[in-house]
């Protein structure tokens, strides 16, 4: 059970090069695809989902080439796109029945029940979608992707617009589903992948600049993260050259969290690196 991406590049007709020589094999578990807006995440996911063809390179899903055998690949895939439209007047149940029709599923009723149970919506299945919260709508999105229980699930930026409790619940649901299938989750929010992903891939300007477990990513910036009290920086010209990750309010004033190869200031204290620091470190191109 795997998705293999081999030297994939994609250039759009307008000349934009969205992906350059991306290679990675994704196995059962949760794969977090992290990168800033415009990095190429959606382009990569759409390529896996057979919606766009790579300019060069090859993608296979369960051994089938996405360009040569798109129909076959689609049978193995569930896909929740970034912009996902729901028919507000339908009930959750009717919506899944409709998607089941589009997918030509044989046992639609049973498939819909299983998917609604998996995402915890079975009790509200007879309510109209218009009455669902943001988190419930996202879970219904996952339910339609899960119809027919495909071994590969692709989810593009799922937590945009969800409140913190909904985000955690959604993340846990995906982690649960990733126990026996491939789940590929794209996001620009580090917190979305921090605890739930087995592997993290970081895309920057179309290139996969990191691919390993989250712990290895955190190690990347170990020894390069500092906290500096901001009152020591008045009239300090170096401030503009620093990569500042955050500004924190403390009882004794403002403290800057800074990424720097060397100790940036006499009063700077070395602190433990987090995944977010490491991500910023990678994107800053300091490596
Ligand atoms: P992300 O999902 O990481 O935000 P995208 O894959 O959407 O990144 O976009 C990568 C790059 O490709 C961006 O520069 C974007 O403007 C460009 N792009 C995306 N879709 C198209 C398209 N259909 N035609 C031309 N350029 C596109």
């Amino acid at each position: 059970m795997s998705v293999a991406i081999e030297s994939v590049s994609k250039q759009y007709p307008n000349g934009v090069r969205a992906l350059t020589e991306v290679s990675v094999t994704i196995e059962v578990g949760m794969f977090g695809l992290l990168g800033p807006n415009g990095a190429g995440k959606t382009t990569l996911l759409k390529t896996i989902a057979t919606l766009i063809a790579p300019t060069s390179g090859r993608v296979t899903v369960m051994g089938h080439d996405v360009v040569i055998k798109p129909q076959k690949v689609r049978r193995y895939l569930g896909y929740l796109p970034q912009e996902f439209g729901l028919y507000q007047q339908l009930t959750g149940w009717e919506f899944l029945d409709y998607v089941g029709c589009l997918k030509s599923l044989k046992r639609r009723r049973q498939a819909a029940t299983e998917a609604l149970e998996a995402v915890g919506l079975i009790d509200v299945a007879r309510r109209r979608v218009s009455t669902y919260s943001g988190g419930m709508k996202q879970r219904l999105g996952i339910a339609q992707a899960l119809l027919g229980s495909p071994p590969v699930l692709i989810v593009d930026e799922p937590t945009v617009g969800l409140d913190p409790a909904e985000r955690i619940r959604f993340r846990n649901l995906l982690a649960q589903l990733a126990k026996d299938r491939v789940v590929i989750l794209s996001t620009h929010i580090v917190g979305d992948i921090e605890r739930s992903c087995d592997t993290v891939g970081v895309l920057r300007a179309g290139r996969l600049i990191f691919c390993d477990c989250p712990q290895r990513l955190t190690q990347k910036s170990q020894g390069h993260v500092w906290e500096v009290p901001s009152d020591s920086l008045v009239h300090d010209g170096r401030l503009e050259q620093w990569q500042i990750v955050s500004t924190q309010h403390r009882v004794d004033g403002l403290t800057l969290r800074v990424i720097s190869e060397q100790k940036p200031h006499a009063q700077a204290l070395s602190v433990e690196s987090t995944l977010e620091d490491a991500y910023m470190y990678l994107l800053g191109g300091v490596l």
Side-chain angles (χ1 to χ4, degrees):
M1 224 187 249
S2 72
V3 173
I5 298 160
E6 298 163 42
S7 300
V8 165
S9 295
K10 173 69 187 178
Q11 185 160 14
Y12 283 108
N14 63 355
V16 171
R17 205 175 168 82
L19 295 172
T20 305
E21 295 284 326
V22 173
S23 294
V24 55
T25 300
I26 305 173
E27 315 269 1
V28 170
M30 184 116 119
F31 181 88
L33 185 62
L34 197 56
N37 288 332
K41 302 182 296 296
T42 298
T43 302
L44 186 59
L45 298 192
K46 281 186 173 170
T47 309
I48 302 169
T50 76
L51 300 174
I52 54 179
T55 311
S56 61
R58 200 166 96 102
V59 177
T60 56
V61 175
M62 314 285 284
H64 302 287
D65 189 302
V66 297
V67 176
I68 300 167
K69 292 261 166 35
Q71 298 294 349
K72 197 147 206 167
V73 167
R74 279 174 212 155
R75 267 190 253 149
Y76 295 117
L77 280 180
Y79 178 47
L80 176 59
Q82 200 171 1
E83 273 144 36
F84 173 63
L86 281 165
Y87 295 98
Q88 304 287 335
Q89 293 311 309
L90 298 184
T91 65
W93 179 264
E94 286 166 345
F95 177 69
L96 285 199
D97 195 46
Y98 170 70
V99 177
C101 267
L102 294 181
K103 287 188 172 181
S104 311
L105 282 186
K106 292 214 178 75
R107 285 153 46 232
R108 286 205 312 275
R109 189 163 274 274
Q110 191 184 336
T113 307
E114 281 169 12
L116 286 163
E117 272 171 357
V119 301
L121 287 179
I122 196 81
D123 293 341
V124 293
R126 300 201 181 274
R127 264 169 56 182
R128 282 177 197 247
V129 172
S130 56
T131 68
Y132 285 12
S133 70
M136 287 157 84
K137 284 179 184 162
Q138 284 293 47
R139 281 188 276 140
L140 188 59
I142 287 291
Q144 65 77 32
L146 273 177
L147 275 178
S149 200
V152 179
L153 196 60
I154 298 176
V155 185
D156 197 356
E157 298 271 8
T159 55
V160 174
L162 298 190
D163 70 35
E166 286 173 330
R167 272 176 55 187
I168 292 167
R169 174 153 194 197
F170 194 74
R171 236 186 278 151
N172 291 342
L173 168 64
L174 290 180
Q176 190 68 27
L177 294 171
K179 285 194 175 140
D180 55 1
R181 51 169 72 73
V182 177
V183 175
I184 306 175
L185 157 76
S186 110
T187 180
H188 64 278
I189 303 165
V190 178
D192 279 349
I193 58 158
E194 193 141 26
R195 273 172 288 276
S196 42
C197 286
D198 304 291
T199 311
V200 185
V202 179
L203 267 182
R204 184 182 67 182
R207 288 178 193 272
L208 194 67
I209 56 168
F210 176 89
C211 190
D212 207 326
C213 62
Q215 293 80 353
R216 287 255 163 74
L217 179 53
T218 306
Q219 283 165 11
K220 287 270 173 197
S221 56
Q222 203 60 48
H224 306 305
V225 188
W226 310 85
E227 280 188 0
V228 192
S230 71
D231 54 4
S232 63
L233 299 169
V234 183
H235 309 307
D236 194 322
R238 288 172 298 180
L239 194 57
E240 284 170 19
Q241 298 155 22
W242 291 354
Q243 197 184 353
I244 298 171
V245 201
S246 64
T247 310
Q248 290 156 10
H249 286 271
R250 297 267 169 82
V251 254
D252 49 353
L254 278 182
T255 299
L256 301 183
R257 195 174 177 91
V258 176
I259 293 180
S260 169
E261 295 278 305
Q262 273 96 38
K263 188 170 183 171
H265 188 274
Q267 291 190 39
L269 282 180
S270 178
V271 290
E272 278 285 304
S273 162
T274 64
L275 195 66
E276 179 132 40
D277 296 326
Y279 175 58
M280 298 298 283
Y281 183 66
L282 268 187
L283 291 188
V286 199
L287 279 183

